[in-house]
Amino acid sequence: MTDDANAPWLIVGLGNPGPDYAANRHNVGFMVADLLADRIGGRFKRAQKAQAQVVEGRMGAPGPDNRRVVLAKPMSYMNLSGGPVTALRDFYKVPTAHVVAIHDELDIDFGVLRLKIGGGDNGHNGLKSMTKAMGAEYHRLRFGIGRPPGRMQVADFVLKDFSSTERKELDYFVDRAADAVECLVTEGLERAQSAYNS
């Protein structure tokens, strides 16, 4: 598969399926994907070829920067995300460099965004599964959630809902993350990094 400028993009929000997890910190990728789906006027539907929900559409203003995109939410649970993502990548003929994973990140403060391509998984089970399935050379939008307070275990922290204080700002940061993804897809990584990496 070649990295073709006209190839579609696969934008993956990472999270866990089901209402019990919907507002968890670990599900911020789903939250950003849902907002992007609203923006392109689509509704998530069950994918035919993978254990995922997908929306197909276009991103960016009409013209040369308009891009075909597939938004996806794996329905396999976080630590098995690689299988559905790889199946979608192959079905839609997306180069790995056109895959974007949106995920929670413990090592940066709440609401801070970082865009990059490649790198390690930093202990994130969704990224670990994706990298094992297709290599590391995909884009990541890291959405900061901060470290757990006191002696709270990481697993407990990421599977808890955002705090009431965080929820006051969450919509703003999710909106900004969606902007960052649109900028990445339509204008490229360097432009998106300079605009949104804080």
Side-chain angles (χ1 to χ4, degrees), residues 10-138:
L10 175 61
I11 300 163
V12 182
L14 292 179
N16 287 308
D20 292 349
Y21 299 100
N24 289 179
R25 292 182 177 93
H26 222 20
N27 269 43
V28 74
F30 276 18
M31 296 172 197
V32 178
D34 285 338
L35 179 56
L36 287 166
D38 285 345
R39 289 186 180 185
I40 66 172
R43 293 174 64 93
F44 278 101
K45 296 192 286 280
R46 186 182 206 91
Q48 291 180 333
K49 302 291 181 183
Q51 193 179 356
Q53 292 183 348
V54 294
V55 177
E56 295 178 57
R58 301 197 77 84
M59 197 172 273
D65 289 337
N66 190 260
R67 299 282 180 257
R68 183 171 162 234
V69 296
V70 180
L71 304 175
K73 296 191 295 186
M75 293 286 116
S76 57
Y77 291 98
M78 181 70 86
N79 60 347
L80 299 172
S81 300
V85 175
T86 304
L88 291 170
R89 180 199 64 172
D90 294 348
F91 178 71
Y92 288 103
K93 298 180 171 53
V94 177
T96 300
H98 277 206
V99 176
V100 184
I102 307 166
H103 65 92
D104 57 306
E105 176 60 64
L106 288 158
D107 283 343
I108 49 182
D109 291 339
F110 171 67
V112 173
L113 303 177
R114 294 268 197 282
L115 286 146
K116 68 174 193 169
I117 188 168
D121 57 57
N122 213 15
H124 192 286
N125 288 331
L127 297 182
K128 197 175 290 185
S129 178
M130 283 180 62
T131 297
K132 185 177 178 187
M134 64 183 191
E137 290 307 302
Y138 54 90

